[in-house]
Amino acid sequence: EVLACLTPIYDVERFGIVNVGNPKHADALLVTGTVNHRNKHVLKTIYDQMPGPKLVIAIGACGLSGGVFREAPNVIGGIDKIIPVDVYVPGCPPKPEAIIDGVVAGLGKLAELQKQAAG
C-alpha cells in the first residue's frame, strides 16, 4: 500500500514527499512489517544513519504490534521495541489514504522538531 501512495492516483509528491533510497538523505522512515531478531540490527542501523531531526512512521498492524505474527518465537513485536516511533498508522493493510494522513501528520511533527532544533 505504501507503493500505491507513490502512484499518480494518490500523488504524495504534492505534499513534498519524495521516495529516496538512502537514509542519509531522508527525513522520515516508513516501516512496515514485524521486527524480528534477524532485521532488528538493520532497522537500528538505518535509523542511526538518518540525520536529525528525523521521523519514524510505523505502518500496519505488523509494524505497530507484530500483528498476527506477534506470538511467533522469532518476532520481537512492533517497531517501537527497537526505535522510537512518532506516528502510528493502523490497519491490515492500511489504506493508502490512511498512510498519507499519517505521513502528513508526521510532517507537522517534523516541522516542529526542526523549529526546536533551529531555535
Side-chain angles (χ1 to χ4, degrees), residues 4-94:
C5 295
L6 300 171
T7 66
I9 294 173
Y10 296 101
D11 190 25
V12 294
E13 287 187 10
R14 65 189 154 143
F15 299 113
I17 300 164
V18 179
N19 185 25
V20 297
N22 188 338
K24 295 176 183 176
H25 301 161
D27 297 321
L29 175 63
L30 279 63
V31 186
T32 62
T34 60
V35 177
N36 59 46
H37 297 289
R38 293 184 71 183
N39 68 12
K40 68 181 179 182
H41 300 295
V42 173
L43 180 62
K44 180 73 170 126
T45 301
I46 290 171
Y47 177 78
D48 290 340
Q49 289 177 352
M50 293 174 62
K54 51 192 161 187
L55 178 72
V56 176
I57 302 171
I59 298 177
C62 289
L64 274 63
S65 65
V68 297
F69 306 106
R70 68 182 169 272
E71 299 297 326
N74 65 325
V75 173
I76 295 171
I79 295 151
D80 56 3
K81 303 278 190 212
I82 305 299
I83 58 175
V85 174
D86 300 292
V87 178
Y88 296 89
V89 180
C92 184

Side-chain angles (χ1 to χ4, degrees), residues 52-54 86 108-119:
K54 51 192 161 187
D86 300 292
K109 288 185 177 189
L110 186 62
E112 290 176 23
L113 291 171
Q114 289 171 336
K115 283 182 186 177
Q116 291 174 358

